[in-house]
Amino acid sequence: MKSVGRELTRVDAYGKVTGEARYTADLEPKGILHAKVLHSEIANGKVKSFDIAEAMKVPGVVKIVTCFDTPDCQFPTAGHPWSVEKAHQDICDRKILNERVRFYSDDIAAVVAEDEVAAARALKLIKVEYEEYEPIVTVEKALDAGATPLHEDIRKDNVIAHSHMIMGGPDFTFEKAVSEAEARFGKENIEVIDRTYDTPRISHCHLELPVSWAYVDANGKITITSSTQIPHIVRLCTAMALGVPAGRVRIIKPYIGGGFGNKQDVLYEPLNAFLSMQVGGRPVRLEISREETISCTRTRHAIEGRCRALFTKDGRLLARKLEAYANNGAYASHGHAICANCGTVFKDLYADEMGSEVDCITVYTSSPTAGAMRAYGIPQSVWFTECLTDDICAVTGEDPCDFRMKNCMREGFVDPGTKIPFITYGLKKCIEEGRRYIKWDEKRAAYKDQKGHIRRGVGMAIFCYKTGVYPISLETASCRMVLNQDGSMQLVMGATEIGQGADTVFTQMASETTGISCGNIYIVSTQDTDVTPFDTGAYASRQTYVSGKACKKCGELLKARILEYARYMLANEVSDISKTVYAETVREAKNRLKESFGITDDEDIKTELIDLEEDCIVMAKEGAAFSDRRLFALSVLADTAFHSLDRSQHITAEVTSHCKENTFASGCCFADIEVDMPLGKVTVKDIVNVHDSGILINPKLAEAQVHGGMSMGLGYGLSEELLIDEETGRPLNGNLLDYKIPTAMDTPKLHVKFIQLNDPSGPYGNKALGEPPAIPVAPAIRNAILNATGVAMNEAPMTAERLVKAFKEAKLI
Amino acid sequence: MKSVGRELTRVDAYGKVTGEARYTADLEPKGILHAKVLHSEIANGKVKSFDIAEAMKVPGVVKIVTCFDTPDCQFPTAGHPWSVEKAHQDICDRKILNERVRFYSDDIAAVVAEDEVAAARALKLIKVEYEEYEPIVTVEKALDAGATPLHEDIRKDNVIAHSHMIMGGPDFTFEKAVSEAEARFGKENIEVIDRTYDTPRISHCHLELPVSWAYVDANGKITITSSTQIPHIVRLCTAMALGVPAGRVRIIKPYIGGGFGNKQDVLYEPLNAFLSMQVGGRPVRLEISREETISCTRTRHAIEGRCRALFTKDGRLLARKLEAYANNGAYASHGHAICANCGTVFKDLYADEMGSEVDCITVYTSSPTAGAMRAYGIPQSVWFTECLTDDICAVTGEDPCDFRMKNCMREGFVDPGTKIPFITYGLKKCIEEGRRYIKWDEKRAAYKDQKGHIRRGVGMAIFCYKTGVYPISLETASCRMVLNQDGSMQLVMGATEIGQGADTVFTQMASETTGISCGNIYIVSTQDTDVTPFDTGAYASRQTYVSGKACKKCGELLKARILEYARYMLANEVSDISKTVYAETVREAKNRLKESFGITDDEDIKTELIDLEEDCIVMAKEGAAFSDRRLFALSVLADTAFHSLDRSQHITAEVTSHCKENTFASGCCFADIEVDMPLGKVTVKDIVNVHDSGILINPKLAEAQVHGGMSMGLGYGLSEELLIDEETGRPLNGNLLDYKIPTAMDTPKLHVKFIQLNDPSGPYGNKALGEPPAIPVAPAIRNAILNATGVAMNEAPMTAERLVKAFKEAKLI
C-alpha cells in the first residue's frame, strides 16, 4: 500500500496550529444573542413555580423560558443510530427543560439576552419554588424498596435494565461450577476468591466546551451549528425534542475540540433551537461552562463490580462471575448499553474452562447523568478482570504474565452472543512484546522482597475491544467523492473529525483506493446535514473501520468511472477529443498503449488495460516502471470530462456501506512504577501500551492516539473522580481546580508498540484503535502497586489519600 | 402535471421579505479587513510608477499592492464554460491589476486596511505616474489605421473578431439580391432602404453591488464568498488568474441581489483572493461601489447597426443586410459572442425571400468593458429589425402587424448555422394575442391624422430567442437529491438562484418528477464548489431548460431508487421489516396491493406496480382514487432505509445532464403611448408583452419575470445610457443620480400574456423566459412614437432631448 501506512502530516495540522481552523464559536454571526441555563438547586423533586419579574427587568434580557413553556415531547439523547425496532430504540425520558427535577443541576429554565453579562445577572434573579424529595444518589439507595422512582412516568422503579449473560452452556452458574470443581479437582486443589472493585464517575474533560448556536429561517428551518460528534443523530433527536420533522432541522459540525463520547450525546442543541424559536428565529448561542459540563452533561459510569473467581491452585482459571452495578444518574442517555458492554468483555477476556456468568444492572440515581465515554464500559470491565487476575495470582503465587498467557481469550475466539470473531489474533504477541520491552522477568525478580518506604513494582493488564457496534446496533456509513476540474478530488464523509485525525486517515484511504495523491484530495471537514452523506458519527472505534469501508467502496466506484471516461477518451471513434488541446497527448498515449499491449488499430481499448496511479492514467502492466506506464495526467481527463462537447460528465460517486462485520482488537499495558508510601505518591518510571489494531493507516497518528488514551488511563487510575455529596446530590469538585486531570507535569514519557496483523475484515487490514488505549493503564498501575507493596487497591482512582490509608492498614507505614 | 404549473409562493419569499435571507455581506466574519481599488485617471497608457509612502502612513493600512506586484497570469473573465478546444476558449487579456491602462478607471492598485475609512484615505494618497496615450473611445477611432492597439501583446489591431453570416445560399450578397430583384420584379416595384440604428451602453443596475470576501486557509486553500451567477466558473478563472490549480479555490455563492449578466463575469474575485494571500490569508472584503460598478465592471454593448432592406412595394420582404459594430470597451470579457448573437437573430427573425447578410465586428476601445447582459445582444438586434420593419412599412404604407404576420420567421424554422429548431411555434399566436389585447386595429384607425402637440400611437415589436447556448457552447448541468430521514428531500442544484426564482421552479420540478410534495423539498440555495454539483450557472435562459433536465433526470433516478427500496420492503422474504414498528403498516399494505393486483402469496411484488405520489408509496393503478391506492407514507420508507438492520441505505441520486438540444422562444410587445412633443415626454398608456415560452413552471413567477424585463426595456428605450467623454474616456454620468433607470413613478401598469405550447425538448414543456421580456419593449415604443408623430427615432434611448430635437427637425414643434 502506498498511501495507507504513511506518516502523512495531519491534513488539519497547520490550520489548527495557526489558529486558522474555525470552530463553532468562530462562526457565530454578528449580533447573536446569548443564552444561559438555570439549573436546579435541589437533586430530587419538582419545580412548583418561578418568579421571573426581577430577572426580566435586567437591561438586555430578551426572553426567559421555563420548563412550563417547553414542548411536551420526551426525547432520547444517546448518539446511537435510531432504530425502527421498538426494542432497540433509546429511552425517551427527557424534555428540553424539566419540571420534574432529577439531579442537582437539572435544566429548569433559560435566559436569552443581548449579552452574556445580562443573561448571567438575570439568571441570579430568577426565584424558584420547589417540592423537594429525598436525593437518591447511590445505587444502593436507588434500589431501596421505598425509593422514589425518578421516572415514575415510564418506570415503576429505578432500574433501567438488568441483564444476565453466561458462557459455558445454558445452565451454567458460578455456584454450580464451584460444586463441580470441588468434585472434579478436589476441594483442596481449588480456590475461590470474591472481591468487590469500584470505579469512579469521571468527566471527559474535552478541550472545547459544548457550544452551539442556532437560528430559524423564515421558512421555519432550524439550523444549529454545534460541537458534536454525531450531527446526523443530533438532527433526528432535536426534531423529536421539538416535535418537528427531521427535514426541518439542519446541523452543521465544524472543527471540534474533542468529545471523548460526551458529544456523542444530544446535549443542549434542542434547548438552543427552542430558544431561537422563542425569539423570532434570531441566532442564539449557548455555551456551557466547564462547571456545567462536568455536572450537567455526561460522565463515565461509576460501576461497582462484585467479582468472583474459581481456579485451581496450579493456575487454571475455571470460572468467574461478575455482578455489576452501574450508576446511570438522572437520565438514561446510552442506558444499559455501557454496563452490558462491560459485562460482555468481562466474560470474553478470559477463557474460563468451565464458564463465566455476568449480571449487569443499570440504575437511575439523582446524580449527574452517565453516558458514553471512550471505551464505553470497558475501562471498568478491565479494571475488574485485571484486578481479579492479579488477585488470583497473589493467591497462587504465579507470575501474572504467565497466568494470562495461559488463561486469556484464545485465538479464534468468537463471542457466543454477538458472534463477533477475533479474526487476527495479536493478544499474546502484545503480551510478549510488552513483557520484553519492560524487562518484566528481570524486574519481577529484582523487585522481590523490597524494604523501606519507597518501592518499585511492575504490573500489567490486558484487554480486548470490539471495533464497531455491529451486530448490537446498526453500522452504516456514506461517502461522496467528486472529481474537480484539475484532477483533484473533493472527499465528503459523513463521518466526523473530532480531533482524532479522521480527516487525515480518510484522505489516505481515498488516495490508496483511487490513485489520486493525498495532496490532491480535499476533504470537506465540516459536516452539514443538508449536504453531507449520512453516517452515524464518531463513536465506538468505528470510523476507520466502518466509514473506512464506505470510503473504499466509494473510491472504487469513482475510480471505475474515471477509468471508463479514460477508455472513452482512448476509443477509436471520439469526435471531439481530436479537436481539443489534448488531442496530441491522448493520441500519443493511445499509440503507446496499443503498441505495448499489441492491440490492432481497429480494436478499442478496454478499461482492464488502464489504471489510475499517482494522479495519472497509466497502463495496467505489472512490473513495468511508472514512467513507462504513464499515459496522461488525470487533470487532462478531468478538464475534458467537465468541458467536453461530446460527453460532459461531472464524475462523482456516492455510496452507503452497510457494515455487517466486526472484529476484536486487543492489547496490553505494562507499567514500571515507584511508590512513595508515606506520601501516597505513585511515579510511573516506564510505561508501554502494546496494541493489536491491525494495519495502521497512519503510524504517527496512531501513536498520538495511544498517547492520549494512556494519559486518560493515568487520570483514571490515579487522580480523577467526580465526587457527589450523598446527602444533597451536589457535586463536590465540579470544576477543574478540584477535579484532577493529569497535567503535562504528571505525565511520564509514554511508549507505544504495535503488533500489525492484516485483518481481512477491515477495509485496509485495520481494526479498533480509537478507544482501546484508555483501557489497560489504570489496572496495570494498580497491579504494579500490588507488586511493589503487596497491597491490592480495589478502588480507582488510587489517590494519595486512599493509598496512605491502605498502606497504613497494611502496616507498611 | 401537479406541481409544475402551480403558482407556488417563492420558496425564498419569506426569508427575503423578513430580511432573514443571508447575502454575501451578511456572512462576513468578525475582524475582516477592507479593501479598496485604485483606478486609473487616464484612459489609455501605462503606469510608470507609484509613490505609496504617504498612503502607507495612514493608521490602519495593512497592505498596498500595485500592478507591479500581481502575478503575470492573463486570464479570461467570461462566464462561459471553459473549453478544451482552443477555438472556443475565451480571450485571456487581463491581469489582476493592469500596468497597461486601457480605460479610464482601469484597476491599477489596491489598499487593504483594518477599516473602510483608512482604506479610502490611503487610496487618495497614492501618487501615480503615467505614460499617456490618446484615448480611443469610439469604434471609429479604434478602427483607425493609426490607432494604438489596446492589446498589443495579443492583437495587432483593435478588432476582437469579425464574422460574416448569410442565409439564402452560399453566394448570397445583398447587392446581388438587389440586382436580381430588379430583374425579377422590375425596378419600379421594389424599394431599398438604408438606415443606421444606434443602441446605448447601459448598466445592469442590479440591486446588490458586486461584493466578495476571501480568505486563505492554513493549507493554502482559497475560499471566496461572492455575489456571482457562476460559482464554478469563477473557481476556474480565479485559479487561472492566480496560477493555482482549480481544486485550491472554493467559491461560495449565497443569496444574491440580482446580476442580469454583470455577475456572469469574473469581476473582483481574483483580486480579492490575491489580497487575502498578501495579508497571510486573513479575510478581506472587497465591495465595489455603485460608481465603480457602473464604470469598472461590465455594460451592455453599444452596437451600431447599418441596416438595409430590399422589399416589394406590396410588402414582400426580399432581403436584408446588417453591418453591426460593437463597442466592446477595454477587455474582451464575452468577446464577440454578443455581437454574433445579435447578427444571428437579425437574420433569423424574418423570412427574407431571397436571403440576408450579416457582418459583425467587435472592437476594443478605451472605454468600460461590455459583457453579458440579459438577452445577450438581442435587444440591439431587435432594435435594428423592428425599427427597420416599421421603416419599411412607413414606405409601403402597410400595417406593421400585417407585414410581420406575412414576413416573420416561419413555423418549422431551423437556423441553418446552429441547427437550432423552432419546435413549438407560438410567434404568430403571440402577435394575434397582442393585437387583440391592445385593440390594434381600432387604435391604428383612431390615431390617424392627429393634430396638436400631444398625440397617441400604438407600436409593436417581435422577437425570437434561443433557450440555452447549445450548440455554440457546452450545456451541462448536475443535480443531487438526498432523501431525509422523514421522507423529505434535500435538493442540491449546481444552478444558481440569483433572484429570478430558480429555487422555486426547481422545487416544483423535483416535486413533479418524484411525487414528493413541494413543502417537503428543501432546496439548498447556497452553491459551494466544495460540495455542490457542477453547473455552468445562471445565464442565457438556460436554467429551467438545461438544469431543469438535470433535475428531472435526477428525480427519476431518486424515485427509481425509492421504489426499489419499497419493493424490497414489500417482498416476501424480509427478515427485519417484520420486527420494526412499521411491520403492521407494511404487511397490511402488501396484502391490499396483492389483492388489488391479484398477486399470489408466493409471488413478489414488482416495482412497476408501485409509484410515489403525494409523499406516499401508492399502487400504480390508473383511475383509482388516491386514498384507495395509498399504501404507506414515504416517511415510513425513509426511516426504514436509514435505520434498517438488514439493508441500510442512504438513498441519494446525482446526475449530470449534458444537454444537446435547444429551441426558440418568441414573443412580442404592443405599446399604446402618448407623446407630449414640446416636453419630449412619452407616457406609456398601455403595454403588453406576449410570450411563447412553452409551459410555464410557475405562472406567477413567470409574470414577475416579464414585469422585470419590461421595466428594463422601458429604461432601454427611454432613459438609460452610460455616456463616456470622447476626449478623455471619462464616464459623464457614472452614478445613479445622473444615470436614469426607470423608477416606480415612471413605470406604467405592465400586462403580460402567455401562449403556452408544450415544447417536447423542454424537461416540462418549457423554454426560454428569463431574458426575452427585456427585448421587444424599446422598439415597440419607438414604433408607437412613429405611429403617433411620423418621426422615426433611430437612436435609443429616446430621451426628451433627442425627441425634442427630432420633433423640431420634423417641424412638429
Side-chain angles (χ1 to χ4, degrees), chain B residues 140-370:
Chain B
E140 214 175 355
K141 274 197 184 171
L143 290 178
D144 258 5
T148 349
L150 282 165
H151 291 270
E152 54 277 75
D153 49 339
I154 54 168
R155 287 278 187 288
K156 61 182 195 309
D157 60 21
N158 290 312
V159 176
I160 293 178
H162 180 170
S163 59
H164 183 240
M165 292 176 272
I166 47 175
M167 294 220 284
D171 305 324
F172 177 85
T173 70
F174 185 80
E175 287 71 16
K176 274 209 285 187
V178 173
S179 317
E180 278 175 38
E182 282 175 1
R184 223 160 100 197
F185 299 100
K187 202 169 178 174
E188 67 287 5
N189 294 319
I190 61 162
E191 287 276 354
V192 171
I193 63 171
D194 184 343
R195 303 283 154 86
T196 295
Y197 305 110
D198 209 1
T199 57
R201 173 190 287 110
I202 65 167
S203 184
H204 304 74
C205 297
H206 36 74
L207 203 58
E208 186 196 26
L209 297 166
V211 54
S212 59
W213 57 272
Y215 67 92
V216 187
D217 75 18
N219 292 341
K221 184 149 189 173
I222 301 151
T223 299
I224 312 172
T225 302
S226 179
S227 176
T228 179
Q229 301 174 216
I230 46 162
H232 276 99
I233 295 176
V234 170
R235 176 191 214 181
L236 194 66
C237 293
T238 301
M240 292 170 84
L242 297 169
V244 301
R248 284 265 298 281
V249 179
R250 172 186 180 196
I251 307 293
I252 297 172
K253 181 219 79 83
Y255 280 126
I256 87 171
F260 303 123
N262 198 30
K263 297 174 187 167
Q264 191 205 340
D265 238 64
V266 180
L267 299 172
Y268 284 96
E269 293 92 347
L271 174 59
N272 194 351
F274 179 73
L275 293 176
S276 172
M277 290 164 87
Q278 297 310 300
V279 294
R282 281 184 69 182
V284 176
R285 81 189 300 274
L286 181 50
E287 182 167 356
I288 297 305
S289 70
R290 179 63 68 184
E291 291 69 26
E292 288 173 295
T293 304
I294 294 176
S295 301
C296 311
T297 61
R298 307 290 176 266
T299 67
R300 194 189 284 289
H301 286 76
I303 306 182
E304 190 186 80
R306 181 182 169 201
C307 300
R308 277 167 279 185
L310 166 70
F311 49 94
T312 64
K313 284 184 179 164
D314 60 354
R316 286 165 63 186
L317 182 63
L318 301 177
R320 290 170 308 138
K321 176 171 183 177
L322 167 68
E323 282 169 53
Y325 297 89
N327 186 334
N328 206 83
Y331 294 95
S333 175
H334 285 250
H336 187 54
I338 289 158
C339 192
N341 210 32
C342 166
T344 304
V345 162
F346 181 89
K347 67 182 180 46
D348 286 354
L349 188 58
Y350 285 87
D352 306 76
E353 282 183 35
M354 301 177 75
S356 57
E357 187 184 356
V358 164
D359 255 318
C360 296
I361 303 175
T362 301
V363 183
Y364 280 127
T365 66
S366 33
S367 62
T369 300

Side-chain angles (χ1 to χ4, degrees), chain A residues 11 84 219 247 486 581 646 660, chain B residues 11 84 219 247 486 581 646 660:
Chain A
V11 297
V84 279
N219 291 342
D486 60 352
V581 292
D646 263 12
K660 295 182 183 177
Chain B
V11 295
V84 279
N219 292 341
D486 60 352
V581 292
D646 262 11
K660 294 182 181 177

Side-chain angles (χ1 to χ4, degrees), chain A residues 333-378:
Chain A
S333 175
H334 285 249
H336 187 53
I338 288 159
C339 192
N341 211 30
C342 166
T344 304
V345 163
F346 181 90
K347 66 182 178 48
D348 286 353
L349 188 58
Y350 285 86
D352 306 77
E353 282 183 35
M354 301 176 77
S356 56
E357 188 186 354
V358 164
D359 255 317
C360 297
I361 303 175
T362 301
V363 181
Y364 281 127
T365 65
S366 33
S367 62
T369 300
M373 186 171 176
R374 194 176 192 176
Y376 212 76
I378 310 310

